[in-house]
Amino acid sequence: MPLHLPLLDLLALGYSLVSRVAYVMYIGLALRRADADPATRGAAAYARFRRRAAFLMYHDGVVFVAVCLLTRGTLDLPLPLAWRAAGAALVALGVAVKLWAAATLGADGYYWRNFFEPESRPAPRIAGPYRWLRNPMYTVGYLQTYGLALLVASVPGLAAAAFSQGAILAFYRLVERPHYKRLYGGGGASGRRRLSTSQETG
């Protein structure tokens, strides 16, 4: 499985990793600040956060797709048609689950509104893919990143996909999950991503 990674491919991968770090660091620090300091909350603060988070989220998604396309053909796979079919299936499954989870959360949940306006939180509930998966947005909802990398046979794409998912899962464990445990108490419904997200496109 020979690899072909010229300098430009490595630079593209590096930019993708920096983009993901910027996104996760921004949302993590902003949400922790809102969680810790009531003075940083409110509708205006949430609107500012949502604009910035959306920009970073969509930038990160575009960068990931660009990396996959710019570095296509760097992975030499046996039976390439079978791998591409598997990649297409992963893309379809991941996108479907992510859209389903996002629709279940709603726009405010997707952008973590209850960090800024905790009084607005809806009652915790188990619905959509959350009936079967503890965290569909950050787990199965990331399969499309691996699928796209396989479709175009991109080594940097696979590396960026793994890094991106690892970074968002770290954010979940360090920032999001503790917030929901405090907000709703205990593990049960609070440990599941029902009322917040993402940004994730990627």
Side-chain angles (χ1 to χ4, degrees), residues 8-199:
L8 288 178
D9 289 354
L10 293 174
L11 289 174
L13 173 60
Y15 187 77
S16 177
L17 302 186
V18 168
S19 172
R20 172 51 52 142
V21 168
Y23 166 57
V24 171
M25 288 294 291
Y26 171 72
I27 61 172
L29 291 174
L31 294 179
R32 285 192 103 164
R33 184 181 178 208
D35 220 11
D37 183 2
T40 63
R41 299 175 192 163
Y46 171 63
R48 284 193 301 273
F49 167 79
R50 180 169 169 166
R51 284 194 301 271
R52 294 168 184 170
F55 172 79
L56 290 170
M57 173 177 57
Y58 291 117
H59 173 268
D60 186 60
V62 169
V63 168
F64 175 77
V65 172
V67 166
C68 287
L69 296 177
L70 290 172
T71 63
R72 63 191 179 276
T74 52
L75 182 60
D76 187 12
L77 293 168
L79 302 174
L81 289 179
W83 280 105
R84 285 178 180 160
L90 290 177
V91 169
L93 178 60
V95 168
V97 169
K98 185 173 284 289
L99 290 176
W100 190 14
T104 301
L105 293 173
D108 287 339
Y110 189 77
Y111 285 99
W112 305 281
R113 180 182 175 193
N114 60 37
F115 276 81
F116 295 90
E117 299 179 83
E119 70 283 354
S120 70
R121 68 187 186 274
R125 61 195 176 89
I126 299 176
Y130 295 93
R131 287 175 288 184
W132 300 283
L133 300 169
R134 182 177 180 84
N135 193 334
M137 186 73 76
Y138 297 154
T139 54
V140 178
Y142 263 74
L143 289 180
Q144 73 272 15
T145 60
Y146 300 95
L148 178 60
L150 286 175
L151 268 174
V152 298
S154 169
V155 170
L158 286 172
F163 182 85
S164 293
Q165 187 171 32
I168 202 68
L169 287 172
F171 157 77
Y172 169 71
R173 290 189 171 273
L174 294 173
V175 179
E176 193 171 325
R177 187 168 67 173
H179 170 78
Y180 285 105
K181 285 185 176 180
R182 285 192 299 273
L183 197 62
Y184 297 105
S190 64
R192 312 202 174 171
R193 274 187 103 256
R194 324 205 176 328
L195 311 170
S196 106
T197 108
S198 117
Q199 324 68 81

